[in-house]
Amino acid sequence: MNPDERRLGFVMVEDSDDARLFIELSSYAVDLVEARDALALALQSTAPADSPLQNAERSLIANAAMAYCRTFFPSKVRRPITTFVQIPARVCATHDLVAKFRNRMIAHSQSDLSVTYAVGVLDADTHQVLDVSAPNISSTIPPEQVRNFIELVAAVTAELDDVIAPVRTRLMAKLAAADRATLLEAGLSPTPRMLPATEFGSPRSRPPYPTTHPIYLGDGNPPVSHGS
């Protein structure tokens, strides 16, 4: 059989210390991928004026900084990624820059990278007061540093992959020793909780071994089908 034509079956890996560790480590990878993709789009935001990415650079870099910093800032549900990996020395300066940028510019408005002025608008001839406005001048990480940021994310991802690999190997060995036919017949899979969009929120903390997740449907949206 052509490998591309192989039918696939999916089973829940049994709850265990390794399964929980695999989930925790893989959740860092999700954040790193989000940061990487946002940075790649940010470098494209200087595209021609008709590009949908025009003027999106600041928002994309801000999102990348938040996603990256989620991996190592304190959390109630997972340990910092630095519990498992060491930031390579060659990218430490960029790591520190991104953390400071997140703290003083993105998560909190403290930096003079974003300055708002009080400016009066006068008629240049009569000096009549027309308005008082509040122009804002903001700066984000420049393209040269964005490229360094991408290198940082790639370096941390490589370190993380090295930590995940033996955990994945142990889980595969345990799964290979199990009665896989019975597992497939049981059809156990993550269970979506279908909720209306009006109930959107995040009141629950995620468990170390999740078995369910919410999906919010807007008015008129058809039910979502979830295969195993």
Side-chain angles (χ1 to χ4, degrees):
M1 177 183 294
N2 187 327
D4 293 335
E5 299 175 353
R6 179 182 297 164
R7 293 193 309 115
L8 300 178
F10 299 93
V11 298
M12 291 283 286
V13 175
E14 184 182 5
D15 188 4
S16 66
D17 289 343
D18 265 345
R20 294 181 178 217
L21 178 58
F22 184 74
I23 289 168
E24 183 176 15
L25 295 171
S26 298
S27 73
Y28 302 127
V30 171
D31 289 333
L32 293 172
V33 167
E34 182 178 344
R36 181 200 66 194
D37 291 349
L39 292 169
L41 289 172
L43 288 180
Q44 299 176 37
S45 65
T46 55
D50 60 351
S51 168
L53 294 175
Q54 189 72 14
N55 300 321
E57 180 184 18
R58 281 198 303 156
S59 296
L60 289 166
I61 293 174
N63 182 74
M66 290 298 289
Y68 175 74
C69 290
R70 277 200 304 268
T71 66
F72 65 89
F73 277 13
S75 167
K76 293 181 180 179
V77 300
R78 71 179 181 186
R79 292 161 285 185
I81 191 174
T82 47
T83 304
F84 305 100
V85 306
Q86 184 174 358
I87 307 300
R90 70 182 186 278
V91 292
C92 275
T94 302
H95 173 88
D96 292 341
L97 181 149
V98 172
K100 291 175 182 176
F101 177 70
R102 181 267 183 196
N103 283 347
R104 296 183 57 81
M105 176 70 176
I106 307 304
H108 310 282
S109 183
Q110 300 174 352
S111 170
D112 67 354
L113 291 174
S114 178
V115 174
T116 302
Y117 294 96
V119 175
V121 182
L122 308 180
D123 184 294
D125 295 322
T126 66
H127 299 170
Q128 178 185 359
V129 176
L130 302 178
D131 198 2
V132 174
S133 66
N136 175 268
I137 307 299
S138 294
S139 300
T140 190
I141 300 176
E144 294 78 8
Q145 294 286 4
V146 169
R147 294 185 182 92
N148 292 343
F149 192 175
I150 291 174
E151 181 184 357
L152 165 65
V153 172
V156 175
T157 299
E159 296 285 328
L160 180 63
D161 287 345
D162 288 342
V163 177
I164 291 176
V167 183
R168 177 184 282 112
T169 298
R170 292 196 299 269
L171 289 175
M172 289 178 67
K174 187 173 182 180
L175 189 58
D179 185 342
R180 298 183 296 283
T182 299
L183 290 174
L184 279 171
E185 290 172 4
L188 299 178
S189 63
T191 305
R193 303 191 309 276
M194 309 306 247
L195 301 169
T198 52
E199 293 185 16
F200 178 79
S202 53
R204 299 187 182 187
S205 294
R206 68 174 183 266
Y209 183 82
T211 58
T212 182
H213 57 278
I215 292 182
Y216 296 92
L217 301 177
D219 293 339
N221 284 344
V224 178
S225 174
H226 293 268
S228 60

